Amino acid sequence: MLRLASASLAGTAIEFYDFFVYGTAAALVLGPLFFPSFSPLAGTLAAFGTFGVGFLARPLGSALFGHIGDRYGRRPVLLASLLLTGVATVAVGCVPTFSSIGVAAPALLLVLRFLQGLGLGGEWGGAVLLTAEHAPEGRRGLWSSFPQIGPAVGFLLANGLMLGLSAALTDGQFQTWGWRVPFWAAGLLALAGLWLRRSVEETPQFRALTETGRRAEAPLAEVVRGHWRLLLLTGGALAVGYAVFYSVTTWSLAYATEHLGVHRTVMLSCIMAAVALKGLVTPLVALLGDRYGRRPLCLIGCAVCALWMFPFVALLRTADPLLMTLGAVGALFGMVTMFAVVGAYLPELYAPRIRCTGAAVGYNLGGVLGGALTPIVATALADGSGPPWGVAVYLTGIALVSLACFALLPETNPVVVGARKAAPDTETGTAEAAAPA
């Protein structure tokens, strides 16, 4: 399990490195380089628009690679999605700016960002199922949290490299070529990831489906036709996690550097410290999910996010590094309380024959609802000289919607559900009804 979980973590870290390095570049340099005729605000909005295209592509990628995963195995998904995202990311680092090729520059960015999102949409389902379908029931949450650590590692890699280059280079050097280096580095990371995954074995549950001839012929159609309500609920439930994460890691970076005069190295350091703590506590929270259930932690995480958004904005507004870090830590604590357990939660909601498609599409649908628009909406709401309370209202609203969606979902932890079935009802003497795993 440790070898499988490590391979899964490494792959998601590399995939999310590719995805996050674009978000950081969008916040710092892509606006003036690729949309120079726009005002600073409009340029940032346009750069975040290309950033959002990656999220729109993710459900398509999860449907495409989910079909492969449910029909041909989880292992091919791990290799193909990593290769696609790596190639697209390296290509972003090679795109000439607007001053060289005109409107073709942002058009190429748009296409490559779409391909990035397509690959990442397939990565999560394959990586999570690799661990979830190998793990013992009582520790499924723990082992499935390893892929969920990957985004934190990928973010730290991407921003650490950006931070190092930003500190080492002059502004002119960084604007000219320095921002491209992290994109080029994605090629080496992709090769390392492919090497790590070369010997990964197919999961026992998929092998059983193959042997019994019970693989789904059209998994997406089966999910949409028979589980559309579950799909919408999981997408809505996960929206707040994406909204909070990208508010902290992408919007706040642009806001602090453009509106508050905070140097990019200072703000990147604050965000990286918060994300590092998020990664460290992920497996600890997952252990709680194995003991007490997935759903209670998700409800708690949504509540924390709803209560913390106004303090988050207030602390960001101070421009004090320690207080900004505290605001980011509080927001990401709420987010990780949910996302530490969804690696086990979503696969448990779907039958094995459609699990790769259902879990991945639901997860990435949340990315569209919460991640694609949040940097754009937050940037627009924060325009002006006053505190951006509109951003706090927007994020609190998303948290309440997600809270309602989680409230309508069942518990799936086999240990908790089994205990409920075994415990007699004190009034009726019958076993308590449990949600399907």
Side-chain angles (χ1 to χ4, degrees):
M1 278 308 308
L2 183 60
R3 181 178 61 83
L4 288 169
S6 299
S8 182
L9 187 158
T12 53
I14 293 165
E15 289 266 16
F16 277 92
Y17 166 90
D18 296 349
F19 202 73
F20 290 148
V21 76
Y22 190 100
T24 305
L28 295 177
V29 296
L30 295 188
L33 292 178
F34 289 87
F35 306 95
S37 59
F38 291 17
S39 68
L41 172 63
T44 301
L45 287 170
F48 281 150
T50 60
F51 175 75
V53 167
F55 285 98
L56 297 177
R58 282 172 65 167
L60 298 177
S62 60
L64 170 63
F65 287 102
H67 179 87
I68 296 171
D70 285 326
R71 285 291 300 155
Y72 306 106
R74 322 309 193 197
R75 187 174 180 274
V77 173
L78 297 172
L79 301 176
S81 60
L82 183 60
L83 182 62
L84 174 61
T85 309
V87 170
T89 305
V90 172
V92 170
C94 300
V95 175
T97 60
F98 186 92
S99 61
S100 299
I101 59 174
V103 294
L108 284 172
L109 275 187
L110 204 66
V111 171
L112 293 172
R113 181 61 176 171
F114 181 86
L115 293 176
Q116 270 191 327
L118 207 65
L120 188 61
E123 162 66 26
W124 186 86
V128 164
L129 292 192
L130 175 68
T131 53
E133 293 188 341
H134 276 100
E137 283 188 352
R139 284 290 179 263
R140 187 178 294 155
L142 172 63
W143 292 115
S144 298
S145 73
F146 274 64
Q148 297 299 84
I149 302 171
V153 176
F155 182 87
L156 293 173
L157 286 173
N159 286 270
L161 190 50
M162 279 285 191
L163 178 62
L165 290 165
S166 178
L169 302 175
T170 66
D171 285 346
Q173 291 172 326
F174 186 78
Q175 292 267 346
T176 303
W177 58 269
W179 67 271
R180 297 181 183 273
V181 174
F183 289 92
W184 296 335
L188 296 175
L189 291 175
L191 291 175
L194 291 171
W195 182 81
L196 284 171
R197 289 181 166 181
R198 73 194 190 285
S199 59
V200 166
E201 299 176 358
E202 191 53 77
T203 69
Q205 292 190 24
F206 183 79
R207 290 200 301 268
L209 288 173
T210 303
E211 291 167 2
T212 57
R214 295 178 55 244
R215 288 176 296 173
E217 291 295 329
L220 179 61
E222 192 171 326
V223 168
V224 173
R225 184 174 58 249
H227 305 279
W228 61 269
R229 182 177 178 273
L230 179 59
L231 204 62
L232 293 177
L233 284 176
T234 52
L238 297 177
V240 65
Y242 283 99
V244 168
F245 186 82
Y246 287 101
S247 294
V248 171
T249 60
T250 302
W251 167 73
S252 69
L253 176 60
Y255 179 79
T257 54
E258 293 174 8
H259 289 261
L260 304 179
V262 179
H263 194 273
R264 59 176 177 260
T265 56
V266 173
M267 195 60 203
L268 280 171
S269 298
C270 295
I271 295 171
M272 287 174 64
V275 173
L277 286 173
K278 167 191 170 291
L280 289 173
V281 303
T282 295
L284 302 178
V285 176
L287 282 171
L288 295 177
D290 279 330
R291 181 165 185 176
Y292 300 108
R294 327 294 189 208
R295 185 170 171 268
L297 289 178
C298 292
L299 293 172
I300 291 170
C302 286
V304 170
C305 289
L307 294 171
W308 190 252
M309 292 303 97
F310 278 90
F312 163 61
V313 169
L315 291 168
L316 175 65
R317 180 73 180 172
T318 66
D320 179 272
L322 289 178
L323 294 178
M324 290 191 298
T325 303
L326 175 62
V329 167
L332 293 183
F333 175 78
M335 179 260 181
V336 78
T337 305
M338 293 173 278
F339 273 55
V341 299
V342 298
Y345 196 9
L346 264 64
E348 289 170 345
L349 287 167
Y350 293 91
R353 58 185 276 114
I354 56 169
R355 181 171 288 160
C356 194
T357 300
V361 172
Y363 184 83
N364 288 293
L365 183 60
V368 174
L369 299 174
L373 294 177
T374 292
I376 301 171
V377 173
T379 299
L381 291 174
D383 187 31
S385 58
W389 298 124
V391 177
V393 173
Y394 172 75
L395 294 173
T396 302
I398 294 178
L400 294 175
V401 171
S402 293
L403 182 67
C405 290
F406 273 122
L408 295 172
L409 288 171
E411 179 57 68
T412 62
N413 184 338
V415 176
V416 175
V417 172
R420 288 177 181 174
K421 288 180 178 179
D425 188 283
T426 56
E427 294 182 4
T428 64
T430 59
E432 185 179 297

